[in-house]
Amino acid sequence: MSRIATVAAAQMGPIEKDEPRQSTVARMISMMRQAKERGADLIVYPELALTTFFPRYWMENEADVDAFFEKEMPSPATQPLFDEAAKLGVGFNLGYAELTEENGRIRHFNTAIIVDREGKIAGKYRKVHLPGHHEHEPWRPFQHLEKAYFEPGNLGFPVFNTMDGIMGMCICNDRRWPETYRCMGLQDVEIIMLGYNTPRHFPQAPEVDRLQDFHNHLSLQAGAYQNGCWVVGVAKAGVEDGCELIGQSVIVAPTGEIVAMTSTMGDEIIVAECDLDRAAKARKARWNWEYNREPRHYGILVDGPGRPAPADD
Ligand code: ING
C-alpha cells in the first residue's frame, strides 16, 4: 500500500508592508480550506509568509526590524492557523522570522516549521544560506538585507519522521546550493518543502533577470532528481511595494519532472498526490548511496572554501 501525501503548494501574492498578520493568516486559512476540499493533507506556505519581505528595507532602528519577527510560535496571530489545521487534519509548513533567546543572547533566524495533522510542531529549520548584503547599499533599487537581519541557521539540515514520511525543509536561497538537498538526501528524505521570495531583478547581475524563472526550476528539479525525492517550492509572488517577486510555484517528482505549477501571481494553490514510496524506490536504484556513492573523493566539499563557523553558534 503506497504512502501518498496529498500536498498543496499555497503560493501567496503580495503582502504589503502594513498588512497585519491577522490578514495574512486569514488568507492562509482560506487556502488551507480550499486545499482540504481538494483532498490535501499537507500544505506548504512561502518563506516569511506572515509579513512583507522586509529585508528589502533599510531600517536603522532595531525595534522596527524586530516588529517583523515572531517572539513565539504559535503566537496569538498564528494560533488560528494551528487550530484550523488540527480541525481539518492538515499538516503544514510555515516560514517566518524567528526572534528567540538562545545561549544567553537574542537571536534572529529566517525559520520554517513543519506542523503535523494534530497541530503540533514536528520539526524546525533555520535558513543556512543567507543571500544579500550586510550594510545599507543605497545604489540598489531595493535592499536585500538578510545578512544584516538574520544569523545563519544553526540547526543544520535535519529531516523529520512525521505524517508517515521522512520530511525535510529548506528556505529560498538554500535551494540554489546542491549541498542542501544532498545533506537531506543522505538521510533518506522523501519530500523537501521550501518557500521563496525571489526578486525578478538581481541588481549585481541584471543580465540574469530574464533567467530567474529558469534558475528557480533548474535548482528545484536538479535537487529532486539528484536525490530521488519530492520537492515543493512555493513562492511569495507578485509586486510588493514596487518590487516584482517571481511566481511559478511547483511540485517536483523524484524524477525531476514538474507535476504541478501555479499560473498566476497571486494567492493560488496547486495540489498533487505525492507517492513517498517513489523516493524510497529511487534510493534502492540509482541513488543507492552504499552501492554507488564514493565519499572518499568528496573531502573538499567540507574542507573547501566557505564562511568560517561563528564562535557561538
Ligand atoms: N531570495 C533570493 C533567492 O535566492 C537571490 C535571493 C535572488 C539570490 C536571485 C540569487 C539570485 O531566491 C532569497 N530570499 O533568498
Side-chain angles (χ1 to χ4, degrees):
M1 168 78 166
S2 287
R3 291 174 297 125
I4 306 286
T6 304
V7 181
Q11 173 179 293
M12 293 178 74
I15 299 176
E16 290 317 318
K17 193 173 182 186
D18 57 359
E19 183 168 347
R21 287 169 176 73
Q22 287 71 11
S23 164
T24 48
V25 169
R27 288 165 58 182
M28 295 162 83
I29 288 174
S30 167
M31 287 194 281
M32 185 181 279
R33 287 175 181 156
Q34 286 173 52
K36 176 71 177 179
E37 276 160 29
R38 291 176 56 183
D41 53 20
L42 178 59
I43 185 168
V44 183
Y45 294 110
E47 171 193 30
L48 297 175
L50 298 169
T51 68
T52 196
F53 186 70
F54 62 89
R56 85 163 62 86
Y57 303 107
W58 167 245
M59 291 175 272
E60 297 263 6
N61 181 331
E62 196 166 336
D64 292 341
V65 178
D66 287 0
F68 288 99
F69 283 73
E70 308 309 310
K71 285 75 176 171
E72 56 184 332
M73 185 54 68
S75 53
T78 51
Q79 188 61 54
L81 182 65
F82 282 71
D83 296 345
E84 187 73 14
K87 192 173 92 183
L88 298 177
V90 173
F92 66 93
N93 172 263
L94 174 70
Y96 65 95
E98 176 191 12
L99 190 154
T100 185
E101 179 166 346
E102 221 171 72
N103 299 346
R105 64 186 175 89
I106 296 294
R107 320 288 296 267
H108 296 75
F109 295 108
N110 187 340
T111 296
I113 50 174
I114 293 177
V115 179
D116 69 19
R117 296 178 182 126
E118 288 74 44
K120 296 278 172 287
I121 295 177
K124 176 183 277 192
Y125 170 74
R126 291 166 170 166
K127 187 174 182 177
V128 166
H129 299 97
L130 296 174
H133 45 100
H134 288 92
E135 308 293 334
H136 184 207
E137 297 186 5
W139 65 273
R140 294 169 180 266
F142 49 85
Q143 304 297 299
H144 198 120
L145 287 157
E146 290 193 61
K147 289 184 188 289
Y149 297 156
F150 301 113
E151 296 179 51
N154 61 350
L155 302 176
F157 297 100
V159 299
F160 305 95
N161 282 294
T162 180
M163 296 181 271
D164 199 21
I166 303 175
M167 302 192 173
M169 297 172 265
C170 67
I171 298 175
C172 204
N173 196 254
D174 287 323
R175 76 190 187 286
R176 300 179 192 275
W177 298 87
E179 295 89 341
T180 300
Y181 302 94
R182 185 62 100 216
C183 285
M184 290 185 272
L186 295 176
Q187 300 174 75
D188 292 337
V189 73
E190 295 169 333
I191 182 166
I192 295 175
M193 297 167 260
L194 65 105
Y196 56 90
N197 288 256
T198 302
R200 162 113 15 236
H201 178 52
F202 189 57
Q204 300 101 306
E207 68 279 7
V208 298
D209 289 3
R210 66 185 180 84
L211 297 172
Q212 289 296 357
D213 294 316
F214 167 61
H215 287 161
N216 179 34
H217 290 166
L218 179 66
S219 304
L220 298 170
Q221 289 178 268
Y225 165 64
Q226 292 172 343
N227 293 281
C229 65
W230 292 90
V231 171
V232 184
V234 184
K236 167 92 79 48
V239 179
E240 281 189 348
D241 204 2
C243 175
E244 184 197 351
L245 301 171
I246 67 170
Q248 294 202 330
S249 306
V250 285
I251 299 174
V252 184
T255 52
E257 294 166 287
I258 292 174
V259 298
M261 184 169 83
T262 56
S263 58
T264 71
M265 297 298 275
D267 289 11
E268 177 182 353
I269 63 163
I270 50 175
V271 178
E273 293 192 347
C274 301
D275 178 352
L276 300 182
D277 288 328
R278 283 180 62 182
K281 187 165 171 291
R283 275 307 131 60
K284 290 188 180 53
R286 191 185 304 277
W287 311 116
N288 178 330
W289 310 128
E290 289 74 17
Y291 198 62
N292 294 325
R293 194 166 171 268
E294 303 288 355
R296 71 187 186 286
H297 295 301
Y298 306 153
I300 194 168
L301 288 180
V302 176
D303 308 328
R307 280 170 34 87
D312 55 349
D313 212 10

